[in-house]
Amino acid sequence: MADATRIQIPAELEQSMDAAITRYPSDHRRSAALPLLHLWQEHFGFISDEAIFWIAHKLGLEPINILEVVTFYPMFRQHPAGKTHIRVCRTLSCAMAGGLDVMEHLCARLGIRRPNDGDEMHNPIAVSADGNYSVEFVECLASCHTAPVCMVGEKLLEKVNPNSAAELVTNPQSPIGNPKLAWPPNSLEHRLVYKNVGRPGWTTDIDCYLRDGGYEQLKQALTLSRDDIVNKVKNSGLRGRGGAGFSCGLKWSFIKPDEKRPVYLICNADESEPGTFKDRYIIHDDPHQLLEGMLISCYALGAHTAYIYIRGEFPEGAKILERAIEEARQHNFLGKNILGSGFDVEFYIHRGAGAYICGEETGLIESLEGKRGYPRIKPPYFPAVLGLYMCPTIVNNVETLCNIKHIIAMGGAEYARLGRPNNTGTRVLCVSGDVQRPGYFEVEVGAVTMGQLIYEMAGGLHPGRKLKAVIPGGSSAKVLRADERFKLKERKADGSTIEREISIDDIPMDFDSLAAAGSMAGSGGVIVLDDSRDMLWVLNNINKFYAHESCGQCTPCREGSLWMQKITDRMLRGGGVIEDPKQLKTIGDNIAGRTICAFGEACAWPTQSFVQKFPDEFAARAQKPIPPPLPPEYTSEELIEEQSIPIVPMAHDPGWEKAGAKGTI
């Protein structure tokens, strides 16, 4: 057993670790587990056994407390990678754009043998013989409109040409894969939160922000009572932009005005829903807008400490926010007695380490406390009642918090005039997949239809192609067929409602309309699929994502997500049997509604909807006769390789354990 007291590390590294520990309450030092692991891995390249003992001793924990964190988060590795480590995105938008080919070309060029299909989850990193390079598939890198993308070290490379992938690695300064990605607003847009994204001459420093009227809404808010601010947010009708669409003002009102315990605000910047990339550009192009929205929110909630939980895959974004926080502190917008108001507040950056489940607010809180990101049961663990450190906590998404500044500027009632009733304000829609101009578009909620978004804003489909389906709210949203008809209720001016039947092109892009159409607005990630797409292949890609990202806490989700992946894997390889489509739906049905958090629905809904909406495609790949009940010896390979499967009765005597591979004695 390692003696943590005898392990020597550089003094500068230990100083950085000591500074990281001070960001958390003294009686909750465990929260520093992820920051310390990041610092160790950045310095030494991997997390050794000695590191686990040393960090545990540093934080007053048992080694198992650190080991369970290291083995949970995909970004932490227990063995050395190559000197140059390359992460290639394999999720849907990138896979559709050639991300899998990027990996093939990289491995061929660098002499790396990739793990066998399906083994990437357990053996993710493959290293070249000389140790100079290593590669791994990773899940969504939140730049779906510039697919395919990869990360070389901490640098994101976009629109990577598979044939040029090796050049990008051997010559990181190459302009290939690093296009200038900014374009003027579309005429159908209403840019509010995105006003400064891609704006000519705009920079992220505080002086530029102040010249444009930055922090004026904070000054205004400090003259108001906290109730006034909460009421403005309520009157605005703002709904959360992270995916759930819950009323922001109502969530805030759960915090008691006379609360004696510390109140915390957490900004959820763990943007990892495939198809979604809106928060990345706020962080990279307009960090002070986010900070101003958070400051107003902290004042309204009586929160003196706020954490920005940012994806581990956003290293540059974390640095930009660190600089912005320091600039804000120098101008007395942060710290003690901000702007002479008597209000004290501090912000800290907390980097995640690659777990999608930490986008769920209670999983995020567990992660922020230095543990595995296992979601909590609600009730009783509603964050506003029992959140971070069992204290009242508000968790809001990046885009949601940015809107607070504009609500103060406009007033709640005026903000509510934007969009539609119960779907107020603006929101950023992310379009990727089979369109000619994928990108981000900020629109009034419900002011544009699906057809306008795809054909007028995103440039339509590629020449010669037709629309086949749309996933309207990130990969967890149920898919909509292009030829479906939808019945939506519409409220008339006199208050009465009428029902009308519409096509997919006519669906307004708002929360309620998409829910009525049988899907959801979710995170605003719109993935467009044309008629060249194999729906089984698409679902298999999505299933792999959810099988990889299940936290494993709930049995239906842990087992079922992997079963769905294995079945679609086998069907793609020619081993589909007649019962597979029905079995897929049954598995999804037995996951949804039977888990602690909404991840169960997130992984089940794609399977349920794809099998229902495209039955012919799934039936065509499920032609083999039903095999006998499968004993462990009957592998998927046999189902794939054998042209016919003998149908025989199940063995009952002398017992199943003596039955052969074909179910016979």
Side-chain angles (χ1 to χ4, degrees):
M1 181 179 292
D3 183 352
T5 61
R6 296 186 179 181
I7 300 171
Q8 298 294 317
I9 69 168
E12 185 177 351
L13 176 59
E14 187 162 11
Q15 288 171 5
S16 297
M17 290 182 167
D18 289 337
I21 292 171
T22 64
R23 297 180 169 192
Y24 309 94
S26 58
D27 53 340
H28 294 287
R29 291 166 61 89
R30 184 171 181 168
S31 282
L34 265 70
L36 266 58
L37 287 166
H38 275 299
L39 287 167
W40 188 287
Q41 183 164 287
E42 286 163 8
H43 185 86
F44 292 105
F46 70 106
I47 309 296
S48 62
D49 291 345
E50 290 77 13
I52 291 169
F53 281 90
W54 192 92
I55 292 173
H57 182 265
K58 182 78 172 176
L59 297 178
L61 302 171
E62 294 297 324
I64 188 61
N65 300 138
I66 301 301
L67 180 62
E68 68 176 352
V69 171
V70 173
T71 55
F72 182 82
Y73 294 94
M75 289 188 72
F76 296 134
R77 50 183 179 263
Q78 294 179 271
H79 303 283
K83 295 176 182 177
T84 299
H85 185 55
I86 308 145
R87 300 180 176 96
V88 180
C89 179
R90 59 145 300 276
T91 13
L92 186 55
S93 296
C94 277
M96 290 166 63
L100 308 184
D101 292 333
V102 170
M103 176 63 86
E104 293 291 349
H105 283 76
L106 278 173
C107 290
R109 175 69 174 79
L110 302 174
I112 295 175
R113 181 180 177 276
R114 275 188 57 206
N116 294 327
D117 184 44
D119 288 345
E120 296 97 336
M121 191 182 300
H122 306 288
N123 303 287
I125 297 176
V127 185
S128 62
D130 58 10
N132 287 329
Y133 297 100
S134 57
V135 296
E136 76 175 307
F137 269 131
V138 294
E139 304 305 334
C140 186
L141 291 174
S143 193
C144 314
H145 62 314
T146 63
V149 298
C150 64
M151 291 183 72
V152 178
E154 293 192 345
K155 185 176 182 180
L156 180 74
L157 302 182
E158 304 169 288
K159 289 188 176 295
V160 176
N161 182 332
N163 298 316
S164 306
E167 181 184 346
L168 293 173
V169 174
T170 55
N171 180 18
Q173 304 307 315
S174 168
I176 304 171
N178 290 287
K180 180 63 178 174
L181 298 167
W183 49 86
N186 184 280
S187 60
L188 293 173
E189 286 192 73
H190 184 122
R191 287 202 179 179
L192 199 64
V193 172
Y194 261 43
K195 181 184 74 169
N196 300 320
V197 172
R199 182 175 166 186
W202 181 261
T203 58
T204 60
D205 62 274
I206 196 169
D207 292 333
C208 181
Y209 189 69
L210 291 172
R211 285 194 299 270
D212 199 58
Y215 290 105
E216 289 301 318
Q217 278 67 56
L218 172 62
K219 295 174 185 176
Q220 181 184 345
L222 292 173
T223 67
L224 304 173
S225 71
R226 291 170 180 170
D227 283 344
D228 284 344
I229 299 173
V230 174
N231 286 333
K232 283 179 184 291
V233 176
K234 279 186 180 178
N235 293 337
S236 73
L238 176 66
R239 295 173 65 168
R241 303 302 197 234
F246 190 78
S247 166
C248 182
L250 181 59
K251 180 185 280 191
W252 284 16
S253 68
F254 295 153
I255 303 293
K256 299 176 184 177
D258 58 348
E259 181 61 64
K260 300 297 187 295
R261 294 171 295 170
V263 176
Y264 293 97
L265 173 71
I266 301 175
C267 171
N268 185 347
D270 191 62
E271 182 174 51
S272 45
E273 175 79 13
T276 315
F277 45 87
K278 58 190 176 63
D279 295 343
R280 169 191 286 279
Y281 287 94
I282 296 170
I283 292 167
H284 278 251
D285 283 21
D286 205 359
H288 283 285
Q289 177 187 203
L290 173 59
L291 298 189
E292 184 172 8
M294 290 178 63
L295 284 163
I296 296 168
S297 304
C298 284
Y299 178 71
L301 297 166
H304 298 285
T305 303
Y307 293 98
I308 301 176
Y309 187 104
I310 188 169
R311 287 193 73 183
E313 295 90 339
F314 286 3
E316 183 59 29
K319 292 173 184 174
I320 290 169
L321 285 169
E322 291 277 15
R323 289 194 296 269
I325 287 172
E326 187 53 38
E327 288 176 331
R329 185 175 289 110
Q330 291 171 2
H331 283 74
N332 193 220
F333 297 127
L334 270 172
K336 299 288 186 181
N337 188 26
I338 64 170
L339 298 177
S341 66
F343 185 68
D344 306 336
V345 64
E346 283 292 349
F347 289 178
Y348 302 107
I349 304 297
H350 185 100
R351 289 183 65 201
Y356 167 81
I357 193 62
C358 294
E360 194 279 336
E361 60 181 3
T362 62
L364 184 155
I365 289 170
E366 286 283 300
S367 181
L368 188 46
E369 291 183 355
K371 296 175 279 187
R372 290 184 163 206
Y374 286 159
R376 299 173 178 176
I377 296 174
K378 297 187 290 188
Y381 297 106
F382 290 113
V385 180
L386 295 170
L388 185 64
Y389 312 131
M390 293 295 115
C391 292
T393 304
I394 293 296
V395 184
N396 282 137
N397 165 264
V398 169
E399 185 186 355
T400 309
L401 289 165
C402 287
N403 273 286
I404 302 302
K405 161 191 168 73
H406 302 290
I407 290 169
I408 296 299
M410 302 170 64
E414 190 63 27
Y415 182 90
R417 294 180 187 275
L418 300 173
R420 307 176 66 179
N422 201 42
N423 297 271
T424 61
T426 67
R427 76 170 310 189
V428 181
L429 300 175
C430 312
V431 185
S432 63
D434 296 321
V435 290
Q436 297 193 60
R437 291 198 304 270
Y440 46 72
F441 307 96
E442 185 176 5
V443 299
E444 291 186 41
V445 183
V448 301
T449 64
M450 182 82 76
Q452 287 175 305
L453 180 66
I454 293 174
Y455 296 104
E456 296 181 40
M457 305 179 80
L461 284 83
H462 298 289
R465 300 260 64 106
K466 295 179 180 179
L467 183 66
K468 185 172 186 178
V470 179
I471 303 172
S475 66
S476 57
K478 291 185 177 182
V479 68
L480 302 176
R481 278 181 68 118
D483 57 0
E484 281 187 89
R485 303 292 294 180
F486 307 93
K487 291 183 178 180
L488 269 63
K489 290 182 178 179
E490 189 175 272
R491 185 177 295 276
K492 298 172 67 176
D494 62 3
S496 63
T497 59
I498 59 170
E499 186 175 79
R500 63 190 183 102
E501 189 174 270
I502 62 174
S503 70
I504 193 171
D505 290 345
D506 298 323
I507 299 175
M509 295 300 294
D510 63 52
F511 295 96
D512 297 339
S513 297
L514 286 166
S519 190
M520 64 175 180
S523 58
V526 180
I527 306 174
V528 180
L529 306 169
D530 69 23
D531 58 355
S532 69
R533 296 299 169 188
D534 175 353
M535 293 295 110
L536 175 59
W537 179 88
V538 172
L539 178 61
N540 180 247
N541 183 280
I542 294 172
N543 282 347
K544 283 189 175 184
F545 173 81
Y546 289 107
H548 180 268
E549 295 298 335
S550 174
C551 76
Q553 184 176 198
C554 304
T555 302
C557 179
R558 180 185 66 245
E559 303 299 327
S561 61
L562 190 58
W563 290 357
M564 292 189 297
Q565 180 209 314
K566 286 182 174 181
I567 291 174
T568 52
D569 274 345
R570 178 166 51 75
M571 291 176 72
L572 272 178
R573 295 165 60 198
V577 300
I578 292 170
E579 284 289 303
D580 278 345
K582 180 181 176 182
Q583 184 73 1
L584 280 169
K585 183 181 180 302
T586 299
I587 295 169
D589 292 346
N590 283 312
I591 299 172
R594 292 172 170 83
T595 55
I596 287 173
C597 79
F599 187 98
E601 284 74 23
C603 74
W605 283 347
T607 291
Q608 290 172 320
S609 62
F610 272 85
V611 172
Q612 176 194 354
K613 298 291 180 70
F614 300 96
D616 293 344
E617 290 194 39
F618 283 84
R621 309 288 271 279
Q623 295 292 312
K624 291 188 176 181
I626 304 169
L630 305 182
E633 298 83 4
Y634 204 113
T635 65
S636 293
E637 281 66 33
E638 289 175 87
L639 284 174
I640 294 164
E641 292 164 6
E642 295 187 12
Q643 292 299 313
S644 61
I645 307 296
I647 302 174
V648 295
M650 174 177 169
H652 291 287
D653 185 21
W656 177 255
E657 69 279 0
K658 295 184 180 179
K662 302 297 183 290
T664 57
I665 302 301

